[in-house]
Amino acid sequence: MFKRDRYLRQVGAITSISLVAGCGVFSSDSSSDGKPIVVGTTSGPSTLDPAASWDSSWELFRNVHQTLLNFPVGASEPEPDAAESCRFTDRSSSVYSCKLREGLKFSNGHELDAKAVKHSIDRIKKINVNGGPAGLLTSLSRVEAKNDREVVFHLNQPDATFPFVLSTPAMSIVDPEEYPANKLRTDGKITGAGPYRLQAYKEGERAELVKNDNYEGIAERRNNAVTIRYFPGSSEVVEALKDKRIDVIYRGLGASDIVDIQDSGKAQGLQLIENPTTEISYLVFNPKDQWAKKPEVRKAIAQVVDRPALVHNVYKDTVEPLYSMIPKGLVGHTTGFFDTFGVPSASKAKQILVEGGITERVPLTLWYTTDRYGSQTKPAFEELKRQLEASDLFTVRLKSRPWKTYSEGYQKGEYPVFGRGWFPDFPDADNFIAPFVGEQNALGTPYDTPEITDKLIPDSRRESDRGAVATEFEKAQQILLDDARLLPLWQGKQHVAANEEIGGAENAIDPATMMAMWELYWKTSW
């Protein structure tokens, strides 16, 4: 279906490296008397309806909902899950057909058929939440349920990445009897068809997952139940792991925590698993703000920001500087921001401002979220404030909100400059360009770039060999660089910490950096 060999040689499979191995010889046959594995995270869902979500809510959806395609362990392209088979049925990659597995049911026993798939995708576009996943479906014209088991997607342009879109949790298949066609579900419940069903949920505290006996798909569950506990910050989640109140940490480890567990975790009965990922962190400039809308201000900031200092002083070198929106390891990655701005320079930044007619100190308000990207977020923004004010060119005020209200704020365009992280929807350079541009994007700030949206992205999507699209993405990156509307900061790694009784964490992070909870298991000594 795809010619991805050359691309995969560059990306490599998203693999896991165990830094601290458990001891002894283990089997995964035991479930420790059925006791749930407790996973702690600082990344809670903002919504329980897939039609509203293009954020961390996906991490819950991946485990309780089912999609037509999904990523098996070690894979870097999606394979059929709820589907029995999927393929493009034309030469231009504009008609995509899937045949469902026979006898699929939702967790409530209702039938999952082609009409349910059509309902699930159609409602995303119809409800059209600002900053929501409708932005992933710009190439979709209509969905056709040909019969009970066959669903056909008619695209308005060739799109070789469409199978990847269908693998995202945004495209979760929902029960038409529980999820309205024209509005979001608001009763605080989930009806899915994934490996688990949601037995109980309390916002901001926990989600209790148990096996969904109706599930038919590619996930091979290695535990009977998982409880996800949501914590407000890194210190709380790490303390819970050390006190044995949780068994695994997924998202939320601070840099000092990573270093500590790497150095002394074995003595504490802990293990650290490092997963190379394409996670990035960046700043977004709102074109409606009187200062952020000025290219000279944005470029002066780009000239001042010292990424190596940020990475070393705040993140203890657990992340690395990033100079393009497309991260290392993906086709189209460049070092454009370094090539253009070089080493940080206040004098060069001043010259940029003066040439733009700006001679006074520029006032800026930088926003960040308090509970999404780990405990280093606040110190990172304090470091950015320090750097900018040290240039004598900017006066910076910092403001913050919890993720739920923070995400609502940027979708409404409330913030002049704000920080975002991006965990890829799927492992392709397209996913680091397309979501950020166009009238409707994941940032809530319209970005009119016709050269990218009308030419470069469509041209790249005609190519099934994803290793052959470097030119299009390099040109797109140059446009982003010239505009400086987005400022890349660093590229990270995904670290999972667990007590030594837990196995499977090295296989649990998929290419979109979400945790497949079904891979976790209790080790049993022989």
Side-chain angles (χ1 to χ4, degrees):
M1 183 167 59
F2 302 105
K3 299 174 183 177
R4 296 180 57 83
D5 291 347
R6 178 150 59 94
Y7 171 60
L8 294 178
R9 285 197 295 271
Q10 295 183 54
V11 179
I14 302 295
T15 56
S16 302
I17 305 169
S18 178
L19 299 182
V20 182
C23 55
V25 181
F26 298 100
S27 164
S28 61
D29 295 336
S30 170
S31 63
S32 190
D33 299 322
K35 183 174 67 171
I37 293 175
V38 183
V39 177
T41 179
T42 59
S43 178
S46 62
T47 177
L48 295 185
D49 192 325
S53 170
W54 202 350
D55 62 16
S56 59
S57 307
W58 286 15
E59 295 157 4
L60 176 60
F61 299 163
R62 175 60 80 205
N63 292 278
V64 297
H65 284 294
Q66 191 172 26
T67 47
L68 288 171
L69 301 102
N70 202 344
F71 290 91
V73 174
S76 52
E77 65 179 64
E79 296 182 12
D81 187 5
E84 181 180 279
S85 61
C86 290
R87 65 187 182 93
F88 282 107
T89 58
D90 66 334
R91 293 184 178 180
S92 64
S93 299
S94 58
V95 180
Y96 194 70
S97 178
C98 289
K99 183 178 181 180
L100 296 177
R101 293 174 183 260
E102 191 171 3
L104 290 176
K105 294 181 179 180
F106 291 101
S107 58
N108 61 6
H110 295 175
E111 182 180 7
L112 191 166
D113 57 11
K115 291 180 181 178
V117 175
K118 174 177 168 56
H119 171 85
S120 302
I121 306 302
D122 283 348
R123 68 189 295 267
I124 294 172
K125 298 191 74 172
K126 187 168 187 177
I127 298 171
N128 195 24
V129 172
N130 184 38
L136 285 166
L137 296 172
T138 55
S139 65
L140 178 63
S141 176
R142 64 185 177 92
V143 186
E144 176 188 7
K146 293 193 69 172
N147 53 52
D148 286 348
R149 293 181 59 197
E150 187 176 1
V151 59
V152 180
F153 301 90
H154 299 271
L155 309 183
N156 53 39
Q157 58 186 346
D159 186 358
T161 71
F162 191 71
F164 289 87
V165 172
L166 290 179
S167 74
T168 67
M171 307 301 143
S172 296
I173 306 168
V174 299
D175 184 354
E177 295 186 38
E178 301 285 352
Y179 292 80
N182 58 359
K183 62 181 180 179
L184 298 176
R185 183 174 182 175
T186 58
D187 63 0
K189 298 180 180 179
I190 288 178
T191 306
Y196 300 95
R197 61 179 175 86
L198 185 65
Q199 179 171 261
Y201 178 77
K202 188 167 184 180
E203 183 176 349
E205 291 189 16
R206 66 178 58 224
E208 297 178 13
L209 314 183
V210 296
K211 271 188 176 182
N212 174 15
D213 293 332
N214 290 331
Y215 172 72
E216 295 289 341
I218 60 175
E220 297 181 8
R221 292 163 295 196
R222 309 182 77 181
N223 60 68
N224 291 323
V226 173
T227 294
I228 306 172
R229 288 193 55 196
Y230 302 111
F231 290 84
S234 298
S235 59
E236 293 91 343
V237 72
V238 171
E239 182 180 355
L241 179 67
K242 291 181 177 180
D243 291 345
K244 307 296 184 183
R245 289 181 281 122
I246 64 173
D247 307 301
V248 181
I249 295 177
Y250 163 65
R251 296 210 198 284
L253 287 169
S256 58
D257 303 318
I258 294 169
V259 173
D260 176 58
I261 296 173
Q262 184 174 356
D263 291 343
S264 59
K266 191 171 183 179
Q268 303 174 62
L270 303 177
Q271 55 179 317
L272 184 72
I273 299 90
E274 179 184 291
N275 299 275
T277 73
T278 49
E279 169 194 353
I280 68 170
S281 177
Y282 58 101
L283 292 179
V284 182
F285 295 91
N286 188 341
K288 294 181 180 180
D289 178 73
Q290 64 172 329
W291 291 106
K293 71 180 181 181
K294 298 178 182 293
E296 297 83 8
V297 170
R298 302 194 297 263
K299 292 179 180 181
I301 293 172
Q303 183 63 72
V304 168
V305 168
D306 188 337
R307 294 170 180 82
L310 177 68
V311 163
H312 181 72
N313 296 339
V314 177
Y315 290 96
K316 314 298 183 187
D317 299 311
T318 59
V319 301
E320 57 183 315
L322 181 64
Y323 296 94
S324 76
M325 288 300 292
I326 297 176
K328 290 181 180 178
L330 293 182
V331 167
H333 170 72
T334 69
T335 55
F337 276 87
F338 181 82
D339 298 339
T340 298
F341 297 104
V343 298
S345 171
S347 60
K348 290 182 179 179
K350 182 177 182 179
Q351 183 178 352
I352 293 171
L353 291 173
V354 170
E355 290 176 355
I358 302 171
T359 56
E360 69 269 39
R361 201 168 175 130
V362 177
L364 291 172
T365 301
L366 272 59
W367 281 83
Y368 64 92
T369 180
T370 57
D371 58 353
R372 176 68 177 103
Y373 305 119
S375 61
Q376 260 60 50
T377 304
K378 180 180 179 181
F381 273 76
E382 290 172 343
E383 171 67 12
L384 290 172
K385 172 183 167 70
R386 184 196 67 76
Q387 292 179 10
L388 292 171
E389 292 192 331
S391 70
D392 291 328
L393 301 173
F394 304 95
T395 300
V396 179
R397 181 173 61 160
L398 299 180
K399 300 192 73 173
S400 62
R401 286 177 178 170
W403 174 254
K404 187 173 179 64
T405 53
Y406 181 78
S407 59
E408 293 171 355
Y410 72 67
Q411 289 169 8
K412 295 176 182 177
E414 294 180 1
Y415 312 144
V417 186
F418 61 98
R420 277 295 311 267
W422 188 251
F423 310 105
D425 304 330
F426 50 85
D428 191 284
D430 181 283
N431 195 236
F432 289 87
I433 300 292
F436 309 136
V437 295
E439 180 65 26
Q440 183 178 33
N441 61 49
L443 303 174
T445 53
Y447 188 178
D448 184 23
T449 54
E451 176 70 11
I452 296 178
T453 56
D454 299 343
K455 178 172 173 46
L456 295 175
I457 289 177
D459 286 352
S460 72
R461 289 177 176 176
R462 291 188 181 94
E463 180 57 68
S464 60
D465 179 357
R466 303 306 294 162
V469 293
T471 299
E472 288 84 356
F473 286 120
E474 288 168 1
K475 289 180 179 178
Q477 294 236 77
Q478 185 61 47
I479 293 171
L480 297 182
L481 172 63
D482 292 341
D483 291 344
R485 282 271 306 273
L486 306 171
L487 184 64
L489 296 175
W490 52 259
Q491 177 174 348
K493 301 172 184 178
Q494 184 64 56
H495 292 89
V496 176
N499 73 53
E500 60 187 0
E501 298 174 4
I502 297 295
E506 67 279 1
N507 294 323
I509 305 299
D510 73 10
T513 71
M514 288 173 284
M515 178 171 275
M517 303 291 180
W518 58 84
E519 290 291 338
L520 303 174
Y521 62 86
W522 295 101
K523 295 177 180 178
T524 303
S525 181
W526 281 358

